[in-house]
Amino acid sequence: SGLGPYGAGDSGTATSHVFQSIRPSPLPDLGEPCTEPSEDAKDKIQFAVNNLARNNLSEKTGEVDKMLQPKYFIWFSQDIMVKRASQEPNYHALYLQFVEALNRPDLTRCILRETLVSISRLLNAETTPGSSRDQGYLKNLGAWLGGITLARNLPILRENVSFKDLLCEGYNSNRLIVAIPFVCKVLEQAARSTIFHPPNPWLMSIMGVLAELYDTANLKLKLTFEIEVLCKALTLDVKDIQPTAILGSQPMRGAVDALTADLAKAAIGGDTGDTRGPAGAGAPAADAAGTLAGAVQMPVINGADISVDILGVLSQHASFHTAESLFAQQPTMKKIFYMLTERMIREIIPIHVARSIYVAVSCTRDTIQKDFCGEPNEENVHRA
């Protein structure tokens, strides 16, 4: 729609797309194309919201309700609610009451969607890590997101936000300075919930990731303070929270995924495909060598000529001392290691065996010719 969710200068901000764990839902079907109201209607709606207070909530809600058509929901969500929520945290409770009083389910869905869109833009903006203003907007939107969901006992669906993945993305991209304060502000609202407060398993699993970061990520004082404030709001002690081990396994998980993708494209283990590539690559050299040495030819050997059950031998005899704990945590990694080792053996060993045979035969032939160059009896030469 082109409307900036937080301030006027964000539309041209470069984005990094580091955080892929925030995925706003599609726009609800409003029955007609989205558009902006006339300038007169805009002024009236903005005037009503500007003068909103607890003692006139019902009156102002009625005024806005008369003018707010479904086709204006996106504009209203962006320019009125989300923009104000990012800049006016002290009025979050009042704005939430206002939205509830309007009682428009599609409007509520639009506000949630535009909130997530704005959060995604701020998280991925290249300027946010160095801008205290944008970091403040992001924290305010985090509190607003938690207020319109967790505080009202409504879940934040994983298809919209995966908080553990978001923290991992922040850790891997060195952008925890934006990820941790945002997550903490969202989760603080769980203290107002009758469902999502501790010891809710969903909440505690995210707290476990924060505890791991607190213990192992060498965080700046500002970020440890954010986690401590969150724990205080939830009446938890960060030292009592069981930390996860998810962050340390992130690079390993990426390696497993990459290896699995590569292996899916390759024929491994007793394959019947063309394994003559390495031997074939040496064929011209073999022919040249054969020509220089007379009758001696480079033998052609491929992986299919190795009849040994390589995987069985590896699983029976291979031992890993330093990597045993890694393979115990990631059994798939051990299997991949065995498969890659077998592939290496089938591709590399035949080349070296063929060359070894060629060298042995060539040396034997040259030695005999040298030692028996004056032998008149051909039979003795053949016997040697």
Side-chain angles (χ1 to χ4, degrees), residues 227-248:
I227 298 174
E228 291 168 355
V229 170
L230 171 61
C231 290
K232 183 177 180 180
L234 298 175
T235 61
L236 294 172
D237 188 337
V238 67
K239 297 178 182 178
D240 296 333
I241 300 173
Q242 179 65 39
T244 62
I246 191 173
L247 297 172

Side-chain angles (χ1 to χ4, degrees), residues 262-277:
D262 290 342
L263 289 171
K265 301 175 184 177
I268 298 177
D271 56 285
T272 58
D274 185 8
T275 57
R276 297 177 181 265

